[in-house]
Amino acid sequence: MAGNTFGELFRLTTFGESHGPAIGGVVDGCPPGIKLSEADIQPFLDKRRPGQSKFTTQRQEADQVKILSGVFEGKTTGTPIGLLIENTDQRSKDYGDIKDKFRPGHADYSYFAKYGQRDYRGGGRSSARETAVRVAGGAVAQKVLTHILGKAAKVRGALVQMGPIDIDYRNWSWAQIGKNPFFCPDAKAVQQWEAYLADIRKTGSSTGAVVEIQASGIPAGLGEPVFDRIDADIAKALMSIPAVKGVEIGEGFAAASLTGEENADEIRRGTDGQPEFLANHAGGTLGGISSGQDIIARFAVKPTSSILTPRKTVTTKIQNTDIITKGRHDPCVGIRAVPVGEAMMALVLTDHLLRHRAQNG
Amino acid sequence: MAGNTFGELFRLTTFGESHGPAIGGVVDGCPPGIKLSEADIQPFLDKRRPGQSKFTTQRQEADQVKILSGVFEGKTTGTPIGLLIENTDQRSKDYGDIKDKFRPGHADYSYFAKYGQRDYRGGGRSSARETAVRVAGGAVAQKVLTHILGKAAKVRGALVQMGPIDIDYRNWSWAQIGKNPFFCPDAKAVQQWEAYLADIRKTGSSTGAVVEIQASGIPAGLGEPVFDRIDADIAKALMSIPAVKGVEIGEGFAAASLTGEENADEIRRGTDGQPEFLANHAGGTLGGISSGQDIIARFAVKPTSSILTPRKTVTTKIQNTDIITKGRHDPCVGIRAVPVGEAMMALVLTDHLLRHRAQNG
Amino acid sequence: MAGNTFGELFRLTTFGESHGPAIGGVVDGCPPGIKLSEADIQPFLDKRRPGQSKFTTQRQEADQVKILSGVFEGKTTGTPIGLLIENTDQRSKDYGDIKDKFRPGHADYSYFAKYGQRDYRGGGRSSARETAVRVAGGAVAQKVLTHILGKAAKVRGALVQMGPIDIDYRNWSWAQIGKNPFFCPDAKAVQQWEAYLADIRKTGSSTGAVVEIQASGIPAGLGEPVFDRIDADIAKALMSIPAVKGVEIGEGFAAASLTGEENADEIRRGTDGQPEFLANHAGGTLGGISSGQDIIARFAVKPTSSILTPRKTVTTKIQNTDIITKGRHDPCVGIRAVPVGEAMMALVLTDHLLRHRAQNG
Amino acid sequence: MAGNTFGELFRLTTFGESHGPAIGGVVDGCPPGIKLSEADIQPFLDKRRPGQSKFTTQRQEADQVKILSGVFEGKTTGTPIGLLIENTDQRSKDYGDIKDKFRPGHADYSYFAKYGQRDYRGGGRSSARETAVRVAGGAVAQKVLTHILGKAAKVRGALVQMGPIDIDYRNWSWAQIGKNPFFCPDAKAVQQWEAYLADIRKTGSSTGAVVEIQASGIPAGLGEPVFDRIDADIAKALMSIPAVKGVEIGEGFAAASLTGEENADEIRRGTDGQPEFLANHAGGTLGGISSGQDIIARFAVKPTSSILTPRKTVTTKIQNTDIITKGRHDPCVGIRAVPVGEAMMALVLTDHLLRHRAQNG
């Protein structure tokens, strides 16, 4: 397994480079009989699409997805869904001067060490451009979740920290998220971030961020102990997003400082006769299996390494040199990571939903 | 895939419950011709073994491993290695009163929701007892790493935070780790932790912790983009350990607050003519592929939910009740998670080493 | 994936050598709530057990299976089922003289070429002894099939050809199979085979055979196009049995000589309102998906290569020599391949039943 | 795993229907640094392409393959290779009358039973059209084999039986294969087949066939016991080709009638100091591992079920009716199965070559 397939039963296989003719993928294992068209996928791609505000890269990509197979008369057939997105803005010249140098913080050197060569055009396969296909696959996953679980099943994300500035959770408003260029749920933080990021952008610098993904309406019982726990697969899914350096579930790293009394969520009989948790420190998973509570995960995104400040590096012949990464870059790649995180969460949940059905009928 | 197999090419499949007759596993894909005997595995199990200090559970388990196959005349043959550890101290009566109640913070309810039934004896499969087999498998992985990469290849772990008290990294001493019951690299922290944990233990409470795993001597080029990145697989591996709630690589969550200038590791030509990084904010991975630097990961362990304070919960018939979890519990499960974390890291690295050889010869 | 795991969702992982302390395996993915004990598995092992008639090897193995996990209070829990069979008759001395020679027709040379070494004791991992674990796993699979599909679901096998002598299908009687040492459904053929095999045995020779496996009560719709067709997975399953050289479904190789008119099974509305096929040339699969008809597969077993006639070979140092394979061998290994074939078919069907449920609910 | 991926380390994932806009696939795990362009793949597709003689379907498809990724500056990069073939001749009307009927011998009913619906246009996903992508993937595999093993590594196929008429192996000539429309290695058989097939075609009937695939220059040691034997994976690969009903290796079913003396291949020291087999009854595999001899496999192809004779069937509402399958069909689908069989063999061998390198360096 060379790494370009995600999932066991609901599987996304992707291909494509930043500056090749197209990127695309195959969704295999999709249940039959689900309404699906390009119009279901495009809105998700549009959220991730570059060039929508001054705070993201100015590369212009239509990111128009085409469904090549697996749908007939408006419904999925159960056969593989081929997805294709043509690259339209491949202005390669922008990247010409990095041909012979390894950009610090990028995958240039590690790819070269691995494969003995590399596609230097915009990072080739290591470019975050591949995440567009993840978003397309995640859109299909969302359709499956809704089809099987109903409308209550929702996967949503938000930016909760930019650089050193985090949101105030008491101000959380899902409605706010669509109203600012940051997917920020806290109107007050939006103002601070705007000022902060304008500054970062002006100096040609970049900043890190933290994204939170919440999944609600997910039944108890998903996850396969002992290795393919739902939290373990979420951790892999989110850590596989370019630039991500940490993942946590529920209390996450804060749990290290807690006592058992503070951390374990007590249970009561709910009004519907079902168990009801009195808190959600666990983030919706116990022993790696979903508990029926909201699943809550966060991931940290590092600042992009493409900055205007000259940096020390070596050439591909291992000679000392300096590099400035010009071009069209996101000052905070964490912003566009929000829809990607949603997609990865949707892929994990759909996969585990199908896995659960297999063993438990 | 029902979740009890880890790895693609170097694979560990495990079985067994806390109070069944035995736990065990199968290591498949081990290269042939490597010296291996029970004596190579036992020391790793002894590190994880309960009952070694007053700070871990008093359950007495010899944890004697038997190799049932895959080794002939002292060397691995390339065929699967069967591993068996008999359970000797299964004092089931300790757990009798949890038969009809879901312990808060444990997997009791989620397993019940998943499978419609559960083995309530000590948590059954959800007990951390299964991690003994991971440690045995990790010991084999360590042998493979050394065999292929030489003695420089090392995977080592330490406890770096207990409850709210973290270590001072400037005091780090690998030698110190074997001299205290906490796998702590900072002699000063040992004293603080002893006092803190004695208190926790006395009150029947518990505390969380953070573990750090370092892998050195690992070549550049390991990891399979885009989904099976080495960091993504490390995240999954560590998050799959019972009670883990967060994983980070290199700067981890701290990267969110950094700028590109602060975070990206610059490169110079080293004295050996190879690239040399001037820092390791990345934690040894770029674009999901190892860079040749030390791989550094941390994970947060929640406090065990088995505490003496009465807690609100429901019965299996969903009636309100209270529960006190008596028995023999670790006040800080993070301690014994150190050798488990080492094992999981060794399993990931060995798997990716073989995967790299497959594609790149 | 080093090859010792079979199945995707209902998976059997096996380990063990002919002359090691034990063989065993892990069944992962078994649905919960199914009654299971050693008594369900042992009868299947007894069918395969050596030493039951003068026509099979005289090696004495009790083949007593122990369930080590995954069953609680008499029912499967959904967690992995550990299986262990101790080797009791490991008379290694019998095999001492083959230590330095490659037996023609055996895996001695190919294993040596692959691994650079080999466990020469009775063929080590390449011995058909490993198939005992397949039979144990197949027994669990049969329980799952019955649990989900009801008693109509049956997997049964028979020997239909021994050496040049095949049965007369018009004499087929399932009842006859348990009454002779050959699993032969044709009482007349039994007599011929007895005479033929007595002769073969007397001269220290061996003979090939053909086994037929039939599965009834299997619903239409199992199999995953385009690669994991049910017939493709059956072909792999049966070809993976030691000494098997050919597999066919339905008409098999005879289909090559037929016309479309002769081969395609016509359909009528049955009395139950469901489609009813007027013939079963297809062997129960169309386009790689089960059609609801009986699934019928046959496989050819070569004569064992362990014979008393001296044969030309080379030593492990590649010097010319001769070899006679003494010891306790089956003159017709095809006989004991019958329960192994049943087991493999049951494993494939159970796996695909779970896979179907995953995608189609 | 929903069945549209083949291979473990060298993996082909395919998508696409007979009458959709395009078919395509992703090759993942290809080693880097191998020269590759469309011109390397196209000749293989041209061999399989319909409409090249009066003996194959008259559907006109250019079958022009486009490489969308994974190749840079003329060489593979190690990243996934996206492949696309547009469907140009989708004359759907030809198939309109089968919309509401299940064609006997086709997958119409079994797909309907599986998915609850079907793409009736030309069989949709069950059409042999998908094999074009297998051929494209196989072409890449052939490049890898040659790159790693040298020019001696060859995978070649031939039609060895058409209807009841088989070839005379003594007349075998590889050169002859390119000179007739049947991939027939025996000039004499060509004449007989021409007459036979002309007759079949005239009456709107169809006939079965047998294909033989030979692989030479393959080193000893490939294959993963005990389940992923090279012969087991070949069996699966060939049986997964549409219309295949049987697979055999070496002596195949004929081995059932042989004695151990006749069947086991003796060994001598060769002039190069390596073991040399005195015969190849085994077909190049011992214990499921390649022996270094030529690997020889055969598979039986049933006659296509699309014939002009009216056949009994039912409608999708399960009412009795008759059907005649007009349209553009191959009177002997076995012919075009030759390049598909070559492709599947190449895929298996490449996958196992990489798997072998992983474990054995």
Side-chain angles (χ1 to χ4, degrees):
Chain A
M1 303 194 170
N4 296 285
T5 297
F6 187 83
E8 297 294 332
L9 295 187
F10 187 85
R11 325 184 86 191
L12 174 65
T13 299
T14 73
F15 66 84
E17 284 89 40
S18 175
H19 285 62
I23 57 177
V26 184
V27 173
D28 202 9
C30 186
I34 301 177
K35 279 189 191 172
L36 185 72
S37 74
E38 278 94 349
D40 291 306
I41 303 175
Q42 199 59 49
F44 291 86
L45 283 166
D46 291 345
K47 278 177 75 176
R48 196 212 72 102
R49 192 153 56 86
Q52 301 191 97
S53 85
K54 62 181 176 183
F55 297 117
T56 58
T57 168
Q58 296 308 301
R59 177 170 171 160
Q60 292 298 329
E61 284 291 355
D63 278 356
Q64 286 292 329
V65 67
K66 279 184 217 159
I67 296 176
L68 297 178
S69 64
V71 176
F72 180 56
E73 297 180 339
K75 286 190 180 171
T76 59
T77 61
T79 62
I81 301 168
L83 299 167
L84 194 75
I85 300 168
E86 284 176 41
N87 288 331
T88 52
D89 183 5
Q90 313 161 23
R91 235 184 300 165
S92 297
K93 285 159 253 164
D94 286 11
Y95 296 93
D97 57 335
I98 61 163
K99 181 178 170 183
D100 302 316
K101 297 176 179 181
F102 299 129
R103 292 170 297 167
H106 280 286
D108 296 354
Y109 169 62
S110 57
Y111 265 64
F112 188 78
K114 180 172 193 62
Y115 298 117
Q117 63 188 86
R118 67 189 176 99
D119 177 349
Y120 49 78
R121 300 167 303 165
R125 182 68 177 153
S126 74
S127 163
R129 175 127 193 82
E130 56 92 358
T131 61
V133 187
R134 303 187 186 209
V135 169
V140 181
Q142 296 250 25
K143 292 286 287 187
V144 178
L145 287 176
T146 309
H147 181 81
I148 297 178
L149 300 175
K151 295 224 163 159
K154 269 193 199 119
V155 175
R156 294 181 292 187
L159 203 70
V160 296
Q161 182 183 329
M162 180 187 288
I165 313 165
D166 53 10
I167 64 159
D168 184 336
Y169 274 81
R170 292 167 302 180
N171 299 339
W172 190 290
S173 154
W174 285 112
Q176 178 57 233
I177 282 174
K179 296 181 182 153
N180 64 74
F182 308 121
F183 303 110
C184 178
D186 172 4
K188 276 201 185 150
V190 170
Q191 297 175 330
Q192 297 172 279
W193 292 359
E194 269 180 353
Y196 177 74
L197 199 56
D199 221 48
I200 288 284
R201 207 167 68 92
K202 216 176 331 176
T203 61
S205 183
S206 64
T207 186
V210 175
V211 176
E212 178 164 320
I213 308 291
Q214 297 189 14
S216 45
I218 305 302
L222 305 193
E224 302 294 330
V226 295
F227 295 114
D228 297 351
R229 295 169 186 240
I230 196 112
D231 45 9
D233 277 345
I234 290 169
K236 172 167 177 163
L238 299 179
M239 192 70 96
S240 79
I241 299 172
V244 173
K245 301 305 288 182
V247 179
E248 58 182 15
I249 311 280
E251 284 289 342
F253 276 87
S257 308
L258 299 181
T259 62
E261 289 79 2
E262 293 163 331
N263 183 69
D265 303 316
E266 292 184 300
I267 317 175
R268 291 280 86 173
R269 178 186 172 91
T271 48
D272 60 352
Q274 291 302 303
E276 191 174 280
F277 292 88
L278 303 184
N280 191 7
H281 298 283
T285 161
L286 289 168
I289 302 182
S290 67
S291 65
Q293 290 198 279
D294 284 359
I295 296 176
I296 297 172
R298 274 175 305 281
F299 59 96
V301 187
K302 72 178 187 184
T304 183
S305 305
S306 297
I307 48 179
L308 286 182
T309 309
R311 304 283 288 164
K312 292 177 189 156
T313 192
V314 294
T315 64
T316 53
K317 302 205 166 149
I318 324 295
Q319 298 303 324
N320 287 339
T321 185
D322 276 9
I323 191 165
I324 297 173
T325 317
K326 290 175 203 161
R328 305 158 295 170
H329 303 294
D330 289 285
C332 176
V333 285
I335 300 170
R336 289 171 60 215
V338 173
V340 183
E342 291 171 339
M344 295 310 298
M345 177 67 87
L347 287 167
V348 171
L349 295 177
T350 307
D351 190 36
H352 274 284
L353 188 58
L354 300 194
R355 291 172 76 170
H356 182 71
R357 297 208 300 191
Q359 193 180 11
N360 299 280
Chain B
M1 303 191 170
N4 296 284
T5 296
F6 187 83
E8 296 295 331
L9 295 186
F10 187 86
R11 326 184 86 191
L12 175 65
T13 300
T14 74
F15 66 85
E17 283 90 40
S18 175
H19 285 63
I23 57 177
V26 184
V27 174
D28 201 9
C30 186
I34 301 177
K35 279 190 191 172
L36 185 72
S37 74
E38 278 95 349
D40 291 306
I41 303 174
Q42 199 60 49
F44 291 86
L45 282 167
D46 291 346
K47 279 177 75 176
R48 196 211 72 102
R49 191 153 57 84
Q52 299 191 97
S53 85
K54 63 182 175 183
F55 296 116
T56 58
T57 168
Q58 295 308 300
R59 177 169 171 162
Q60 292 300 326
E61 283 291 353
D63 278 356
Q64 286 292 328
V65 67
K66 279 183 216 159
I67 296 176
L68 296 178
S69 65
V71 176
F72 182 56
E73 298 181 337
K75 286 188 179 172
T76 60
T77 61
T79 61
I81 300 169
L83 299 168
L84 195 74
I85 300 169
E86 286 176 39
N87 288 331
T88 53
D89 183 5
Q90 313 161 22
R91 235 185 299 164
S92 298
K93 286 158 252 164
D94 287 10
Y95 296 93
D97 57 335
I98 60 165
K99 182 178 170 183
D100 303 317
K101 297 176 180 181
F102 299 129
R103 293 169 297 167
H106 279 287
D108 296 354
Y109 169 63
S110 57
Y111 265 65
F112 188 79
K114 180 172 193 61
Y115 298 117
Q117 62 187 88
R118 67 188 175 99
D119 177 349
Y120 49 76
R121 300 166 304 164
R125 182 68 177 155
S126 74
S127 163
R129 175 129 192 81
E130 57 91 358
T131 61
V133 187
R134 303 187 186 209
V135 169
V140 180
Q142 295 251 23
K143 291 287 287 188
V144 178
L145 286 176
T146 310
H147 181 81
I148 296 178
L149 300 174
K151 297 224 162 160
K154 271 193 195 116
V155 175
R156 293 181 293 186
L159 204 70
V160 297
Q161 183 184 329
M162 180 186 289
I165 313 165
D166 53 10
I167 65 160
D168 183 337
Y169 273 80
R170 291 167 302 182
N171 298 340
W172 191 289
S173 156
W174 285 112
Q176 178 56 233
I177 282 173
K179 295 181 183 154
N180 64 72
F182 307 121
F183 304 109
C184 177
D186 172 2
K188 275 199 184 150
V190 170
Q191 297 175 330
Q192 297 172 279
W193 291 0
E194 269 180 353
Y196 177 74
L197 199 54
D199 222 48
I200 288 282
R201 205 168 69 93
K202 216 175 330 176
T203 60
S205 182
S206 64
T207 185
V210 175
V211 176
E212 179 164 320
I213 308 290
Q214 297 189 13
S216 45
I218 305 302
L222 305 193
E224 301 293 331
V226 294
F227 296 114
D228 297 351
R229 294 170 188 240
I230 196 112
D231 45 10
D233 278 345
I234 290 170
K236 171 167 179 165
L238 299 179
M239 193 70 97
S240 79
I241 299 172
V244 173
K245 301 305 286 182
V247 179
E248 58 182 16
I249 310 280
E251 284 289 341
F253 276 87
S257 308
L258 300 181
T259 62
E261 289 79 1
E262 292 162 333
N263 183 68
D265 304 314
E266 291 183 301
I267 317 175
R268 291 282 84 175
R269 178 187 171 92
T271 49
D272 60 352
Q274 290 303 302
E276 193 174 280
F277 292 88
L278 303 184
N280 191 7
H281 298 282
T285 161
L286 289 167
I289 302 181
S290 67
S291 64
Q293 290 197 281
D294 284 359
I295 293 175
I296 298 173
R298 275 174 305 282
F299 59 94
V301 186
K302 72 178 186 183
T304 183
S305 305
S306 298
I307 49 179
L308 285 183
T309 310
R311 304 283 287 164
K312 291 177 188 157
T313 191
V314 294
T315 64
T316 53
K317 302 205 165 147
I318 324 296
Q319 297 303 324
N320 286 339
T321 185
D322 276 9
I323 190 166
I324 297 174
T325 317
K326 290 176 201 159
R328 303 157 295 169
H329 303 294
D330 288 286
C332 175
V333 285
I335 300 170
R336 288 170 60 215
V338 173
V340 182
E342 292 171 339
M344 294 311 296
M345 177 68 87
L347 287 167
V348 171
L349 295 177
T350 306
D351 189 36
H352 274 283
L353 189 58
L354 300 193
R355 291 172 76 170
H356 181 71
R357 298 207 301 190
Q359 194 180 12
N360 299 280
Chain C
M1 302 190 173
N4 296 286
T5 296
F6 188 83
E8 296 295 331
L9 294 187
F10 187 85
R11 327 184 86 193
L12 175 65
T13 299
T14 74
F15 66 84
E17 284 89 39
S18 175
H19 286 64
I23 58 177
V26 184
V27 174
D28 200 9
C30 186
I34 301 177
K35 279 190 190 170
L36 185 73
S37 74
E38 279 95 348
D40 291 306
I41 303 175
Q42 199 59 49
F44 291 86
L45 283 166
D46 291 346
K47 278 178 75 176
R48 198 212 70 102
R49 191 154 56 86
Q52 299 191 99
S53 85
K54 64 182 173 182
F55 297 116
T56 59
T57 168
Q58 295 307 301
R59 176 170 173 162
Q60 293 298 327
E61 283 291 354
D63 277 356
Q64 287 291 329
V65 67
K66 279 183 218 159
I67 295 176
L68 297 178
S69 65
V71 176
F72 181 56
E73 298 181 338
K75 287 188 179 173
T76 58
T77 60
T79 62
I81 300 169
L83 299 168
L84 195 74
I85 300 169
E86 285 177 40
N87 288 330
T88 53
D89 184 4
Q90 313 160 21
R91 235 186 297 165
S92 296
K93 286 159 252 164
D94 287 10
Y95 297 92
D97 57 337
I98 60 163
K99 182 177 170 183
D100 302 316
K101 296 176 179 180
F102 299 129
R103 291 169 298 166
H106 279 286
D108 297 354
Y109 169 62
S110 58
Y111 265 65
F112 188 78
K114 180 172 193 61
Y115 298 117
Q117 62 188 86
R118 68 190 175 98
D119 178 349
Y120 49 77
R121 301 167 304 165
R125 181 70 177 153
S126 74
S127 163
R129 175 129 194 81
E130 56 92 357
T131 61
V133 188
R134 303 187 188 208
V135 169
V140 181
Q142 295 251 24
K143 291 286 287 187
V144 178
L145 287 176
T146 309
H147 181 82
I148 296 177
L149 300 175
K151 294 225 163 159
K154 270 195 195 114
V155 175
R156 293 181 293 187
L159 204 70
V160 296
Q161 182 183 330
M162 180 186 289
I165 314 165
D166 53 11
I167 64 160
D168 183 337
Y169 274 80
R170 292 166 303 182
N171 299 338
W172 191 290
S173 156
W174 284 113
Q176 178 56 233
I177 281 173
K179 295 182 181 151
N180 64 72
F182 307 122
F183 303 109
C184 178
D186 172 3
K188 276 201 184 148
V190 170
Q191 296 174 332
Q192 296 173 280
W193 290 1
E194 269 180 352
Y196 176 74
L197 199 56
D199 221 48
I200 288 283
R201 205 168 69 93
K202 216 176 330 173
T203 60
S205 183
S206 65
T207 185
V210 176
V211 176
E212 178 164 320
I213 309 291
Q214 298 188 14
S216 45
I218 305 303
L222 306 193
E224 301 295 330
V226 296
F227 296 113
D228 298 350
R229 294 170 188 240
I230 196 113
D231 45 9
D233 277 345
I234 290 169
K236 172 167 179 165
L238 299 179
M239 191 70 97
S240 80
I241 299 171
V244 173
K245 302 304 289 181
V247 178
E248 57 181 17
I249 310 281
E251 284 289 341
F253 277 87
S257 308
L258 299 181
T259 62
E261 288 80 2
E262 293 163 332
N263 183 69
D265 304 315
E266 292 184 300
I267 317 175
R268 293 280 84 175
R269 178 187 171 90
T271 49
D272 59 352
Q274 290 304 300
E276 192 174 280
F277 292 88
L278 303 184
N280 190 7
H281 298 282
T285 161
L286 289 168
I289 302 182
S290 66
S291 65
Q293 290 198 280
D294 285 358
I295 294 176
I296 297 172
R298 275 175 304 283
F299 59 95
V301 187
K302 72 177 186 183
T304 181
S305 304
S306 297
I307 50 178
L308 286 182
T309 309
R311 305 283 286 164
K312 291 176 188 157
T313 192
V314 295
T315 65
T316 53
K317 301 202 166 150
I318 324 296
Q319 297 303 323
N320 287 338
T321 185
D322 277 10
I323 192 166
I324 296 173
T325 317
K326 290 176 203 159
R328 303 158 296 170
H329 303 295
D330 289 287
C332 176
V333 285
I335 300 170
R336 288 171 58 214
V338 174
V340 182
E342 290 171 340
M344 295 309 298
M345 177 67 88
L347 287 167
V348 171
L349 295 177
T350 306
D351 190 36
H352 274 283
L353 189 57
L354 300 193
R355 291 173 75 169
H356 182 71
R357 296 208 300 191
Q359 194 180 11
N360 299 280
Chain D
M1 303 193 169
N4 295 286
T5 295
F6 188 83
E8 296 294 331
L9 295 187
F10 187 85
R11 326 185 86 191
L12 175 65
T13 299
T14 73
F15 65 84
E17 284 90 40
S18 175
H19 285 62
I23 56 177
V26 184
V27 173
D28 201 9
C30 186
I34 301 177
K35 280 188 190 170
L36 185 72
S37 74
E38 278 95 349
D40 291 306
I41 302 174
Q42 199 59 49
F44 291 86
L45 283 167
D46 290 346
K47 279 177 75 176
R48 197 211 72 101
R49 191 152 57 85
Q52 300 191 98
S53 84
K54 63 181 176 184
F55 297 117
T56 58
T57 169
Q58 295 308 301
R59 175 169 172 161
Q60 292 299 329
E61 283 291 355
D63 278 357
Q64 286 292 330
V65 67
K66 278 183 218 160
I67 296 176
L68 296 178
S69 65
V71 176
F72 181 56
E73 297 181 338
K75 287 188 179 173
T76 59
T77 61
T79 62
I81 301 168
L83 299 168
L84 195 75
I85 300 169
E86 285 176 40
N87 288 330
T88 53
D89 184 4
Q90 313 161 23
R91 235 186 299 166
S92 296
K93 287 159 251 164
D94 286 11
Y95 296 92
D97 57 336
I98 59 164
K99 182 177 170 183
D100 301 317
K101 296 177 180 181
F102 299 129
R103 293 169 297 167
H106 279 287
D108 296 354
Y109 170 62
S110 57
Y111 266 64
F112 188 79
K114 181 173 193 62
Y115 298 117
Q117 61 187 89
R118 68 189 175 98
D119 178 349
Y120 49 76
R121 301 166 303 164
R125 182 69 178 154
S126 74
S127 163
R129 175 128 194 81
E130 57 91 357
T131 61
V133 188
R134 302 187 187 209
V135 169
V140 181
Q142 295 250 24
K143 291 287 288 188
V144 178
L145 287 176
T146 310
H147 181 81
I148 296 178
L149 300 174
K151 295 222 162 160
K154 270 193 197 117
V155 175
R156 294 180 293 187
L159 203 70
V160 297
Q161 183 184 329
M162 179 187 288
I165 313 166
D166 54 10
I167 64 160
D168 183 337
Y169 274 79
R170 291 167 303 182
N171 298 339
W172 191 290
S173 156
W174 285 112
Q176 178 57 232
I177 282 173
K179 296 181 183 153
N180 64 73
F182 306 121
F183 303 110
C184 177
D186 172 3
K188 276 198 184 152
V190 170
Q191 297 175 328
Q192 297 173 280
W193 292 0
E194 270 180 354
Y196 176 74
L197 199 56
D199 221 49
I200 289 282
R201 206 167 68 93
K202 216 174 335 175
T203 59
S205 183
S206 64
T207 186
V210 176
V211 175
E212 178 164 321
I213 308 291
Q214 297 188 14
S216 45
I218 305 303
L222 305 192
E224 301 295 330
V226 297
F227 296 114
D228 297 351
R229 294 169 189 241
I230 195 112
D231 45 9
D233 277 345
I234 290 169
K236 172 167 178 166
L238 299 179
M239 192 71 96
S240 79
I241 300 171
V244 173
K245 301 304 286 182
V247 178
E248 58 182 16
I249 311 280
E251 284 289 341
F253 276 87
S257 308
L258 299 181
T259 63
E261 290 80 1
E262 292 163 332
N263 182 68
D265 304 315
E266 292 184 300
I267 317 174
R268 291 281 84 174
R269 177 187 173 90
T271 49
D272 60 352
Q274 291 302 302
E276 192 175 281
F277 292 88
L278 303 184
N280 191 7
H281 298 283
T285 161
L286 290 167
I289 303 181
S290 67
S291 65
Q293 291 197 280
D294 284 0
I295 294 175
I296 297 171
R298 275 175 304 283
F299 58 96
V301 186
K302 72 177 186 183
T304 182
S305 305
S306 297
I307 49 179
L308 286 182
T309 309
R311 305 283 287 165
K312 293 176 187 157
T313 192
V314 295
T315 64
T316 53
K317 301 204 164 149
I318 323 296
Q319 297 303 323
N320 287 339
T321 184
D322 276 9
I323 191 165
I324 297 173
T325 318
K326 290 178 203 158
R328 304 157 296 169
H329 302 295
D330 289 285
C332 176
V333 284
I335 299 171
R336 290 170 60 213
V338 173
V340 182
E342 291 171 340
M344 295 310 297
M345 177 68 87
L347 287 167
V348 171
L349 295 177
T350 306
D351 189 36
H352 274 284
L353 188 59
L354 300 193
R355 290 173 75 170
H356 182 71
R357 296 208 301 192
Q359 195 180 12
N360 299 279

